[in-house]
Amino acid sequence: MSTGKPPSRRGALTPTLIVVALVVVGFIFFANVWTDVLWYRQLGYIEVFITENLARIAIFASGFAVMFLAVFFAIRIAYQSRPVYAPDSEIRDNLNRYQAQLEPVRRVVMVGLPVLFGLFAGSAAASQWQKVLLFFNQEQFGKQDPEFGLDISFYLMTLPFLGFVTGFLISVVVIAGIAGILTHYLYGSIRLMERGVFTSRAAQIHIAVAGAAFLVLLGTNFWLDRYSAVQSTNGRWAGALYTDVNAVIPTKSILAVAAALVAILFIVAAVIGRWRLPVIGTAMLVITSILAGGVYPWVIQQFQVRPSEETLEKEFIQRNIDNTRAAYGLDAIQVDRYDATNTASTGALAPDAQTTANIRLLDPNLISDAFSQLEQYRPYYQFPEALNVDRYEVDGKIQDTVIAVRELNPTNVATNQQGWLNQHVVYTHGYGVVAAKGNKFTVDGKPEFLQSGIPSTGVLGDDSSYQPRIYFGESSPDYSIVGAPDGAPPREQDRPSGEGETQYTFEGNGGPNVGSFFNRVLYSIKFQSSDLLLSDGVNSESQVLYDRNPRERVEKVAPYLTIDGNAYPAVVDGRVKWIVDGYTTSQYYPYSQQEQLSDATADSQTTSGRAVALPNSTVNYIRNSVKATVDAYDGAVTLYAWDDQDPLLKSWQKVFPTSLKPFSEMSGDVMSHVRYPEDLFKVQRQLLGEYHVTDPSSFYKTNDAWSVPADPTVDSNTDVKQPPFYMSLQMPDQDEPAFQLTSSFIPQIVNGNARNVLYGFLAADSDAGNEAGVKAESYGKLRLLQIPPEIQVPGPGQAQNKFNSDPTVSQALNLLRQGASDVLNGNLLTLPVGGGILYVQPVYLKSTGETSYPTLQRVLVAFGDKVGFAPTLDEALKQLFGGDSGAAAGDSDNNGQTPTDPAAPTTPAGADAKADLKAALDEANAAIQAGQAALASGDFAAYGEAQKRLAAALQRAVDAESKIPAAAPEATPAPASTATPESTPSPSPSS
């Protein structure tokens, strides 16, 4: 009897939920793709997005199709050729049960399995899009490898592609063959019987075809392995060595031919139905590959090469040396002998007067706190932990400069104000550039600023001459919503002023528009924020700024580049622009030694987190092919083809023809701030430790190998390399100083032990000139000074040890530490001046407390075995060079200007020197406390006065300490500077 109820519709619920889920997932995928389209289109690099993704899609489709069709037809053909009748048996009964279970889903499996394998294969193939595009757009190097005489482009762009295709097809044949054989077995074409294995005619043909295809591809792989031998890293040196050339390469040829012959035997077997010959051929191929591919080369290596290795490998070591130097840009290096003296002669620095005047005293890794305390102004601003070194023209002269931008730090806003609106609409940008002279400091040890303040003022410009707002930087928020219609009240926090906080509205074109409801929905999904969709902070003219880190921005528009770990800001053409270096790299250059980028570029900067470490990838070819600029205001990215002779870059220019500009379009302003990139230099110096030797016999013996010294300013228990340093320096063969990137070498470190004497000094010319579109010929010139080993010049580690153990220095530093302060050693600079090697290290004093910052109080210098130590570099050099160095340092104006505090209490004449010392230290401690209180209340004027009192008190303490031996004979005397000759009166510490 009918109940009148409608039929149940539960069966429609599941398909409906699946459809809804697919629609949601599809729309989320669309949102992410379309927002990428909007980002690239707004930036002007839609060509990159389209080309890369079309290439990925085409390669994915090709890989999917090949794998799908191979597996599908292997299964289908095996199924269609299944035997209709077969003898009954227990095995057959089991197969019947499997077939019965499979039959309801057989069609799904026969299509789904190929689809699944096709998806995996397509995804793997799509990841190789760069190899495919390089192959079809390759440029010739015009240079041949020494073994096969093929152009280098074959190894960098053709061989990787052929290897990828061969490897992919082998995977296809193996997977399709296994799928077909399993299907034959499941449906009875292959059966295990008491008398052996039964195979139907169709199964035999299937196995024969699959086997022949596999062997043909295996033979092709053997043949390509001949060329891959010149890229081998299995020996002591990269490339094809004696055993490879005389054993491995010939046997690979034999194996390739043998594989082709056995493949023919498989085809013959498929025709005649006899399998004895292909089975024997396969067995012989396996035995041959073991003997010829493994045993024979081992015998040659052990019994022919090892006893006479140096003689037999000499030619191949030379190949390795020549090609490694070419691949890393070391083949044009200028090497000069430098007979360094250890004698600090009076007036020795006269020929190096310009270099001496520019010696950098401000350590960019230590003075970030000073920039923060003196120039941060508000908690929502910040400076990076490590600042940058650049140069600017000041009063007609090139001035080394320590520079940073005042970036936004929205996380430092009060907790109760960290809502979505403040985080993404109100606090959107930093403000201004802060720059200080590298070679000077104020009398009380603070940076001498060239550019500072809010509003931004100084020699680099002001608000009317350059745009100071920093919307794109290394610490910018994930995303910000900016822009408003004309006449709308500004909502962005701009900068503090005398009348309070000013507001601002972004006026550039920095990101995709989110004024439309559709775009707001897309970006709400992308950033998973309903506030972006609902907030009144988003209007019809709003733009969304994201991907704001300069390095990451360049990586997205140039995915074929490896980006240098240090982007640096420069004020150029009325804007603040980040300058970013990009490298084209490869790991396929023949006979070139491979280096791991993360290891080669690691030093005390990367291990401390002050610099970005490069990826853990292996290369044996590198070029600084691209210079990029990123506008800090609107994020505009400009790529310049810097090394326009690099064949890899030329190939990528054919792939992306509109994304790069020639460097001839680079303005003179930008050109004047280009510098030699640090990570390239680190890789080159790492290789140069061995490859400065060009004689194969010496190279074999490694009796002149070098290492980069450990950074002596960090914990002695850690063995991290000293970073390279930028400085204006005149090398011995130069007529005037140039902005250079420098490093030094000591004997090779073996098991953590090394003689810390200087063997070499490397400088890379970083001056590209200041003429628009014209690169100076001297730019990038590598100069290596080789110090003869018989001249025992102290290395950086020895110089640091001399500083630490010198009694005068130790006593003075201990005195400074008594005022509840930390003494910080700045970077130890190495300079080839005065006919020898000069070491310069600034010494900073930092009081305890959260608001304290380092002030430069002393300068240490060393030349040979002598040490100088004084409040200024100029005084220290005078101590070192017998009262007259022959040149004035940049801080010579500070000589004798140590501040005194008239308000400080005086001590009675003739009082005990120890009482003088105690009074001075008490005053220093009081000044420290007063300074901390002033900073806590935001009174920077009072803080400055407290710092002057602190410096004066410390100077009085030094003076009192020097008098203690006369008043108290039992005290330790303060000897004259160890650098001062006996015939020259020792200057007092305050001179």
Side-chain angles (χ1 to χ4, degrees), residues 738-807:
F739 192 65
Q740 318 234 23
L741 184 56
T742 66
S743 186
S744 55
F745 296 97
I746 61 173
Q748 186 176 41
I749 300 173
V750 180
N751 297 326
N753 299 315
R755 293 174 59 238
N756 208 286
V757 294
L758 205 67
Y759 269 18
F761 180 84
L762 179 66
D765 195 315
S766 294
D767 270 338
N770 57 9
E771 186 177 347
V774 179
K775 188 195 313 182
E777 291 184 5
S778 60
Y779 173 85
K781 179 74 173 180
L782 293 175
R783 294 178 172 87
L784 176 64
L785 300 181
Q786 284 189 297
I787 301 173
E790 62 270 16
I791 301 178
Q792 299 293 307
V793 176
Q798 283 191 9
Q800 188 68 59
N801 287 336
K802 289 180 184 297
F803 293 154
N804 295 341
S805 60
D806 183 272

Side-chain angles (χ1 to χ4, degrees), residues 146-147 310-320 696:
E147 178 60 28
E310 181 179 352
T311 302
L312 295 180
E313 300 287 22
K314 184 175 182 179
E315 174 189 355
F316 308 104
I317 293 174
Q318 189 65 61
R319 291 181 181 182
N320 174 257

Side-chain angles (χ1 to χ4, degrees), residues 435-455:
K437 295 179 181 179
N439 62 340
K440 297 184 179 181
F441 54 95
T442 63
V443 175
D444 50 353
K446 293 184 294 201
E448 186 171 315
F449 291 108
L450 291 167
Q451 188 76 22
S452 60
I454 294 180

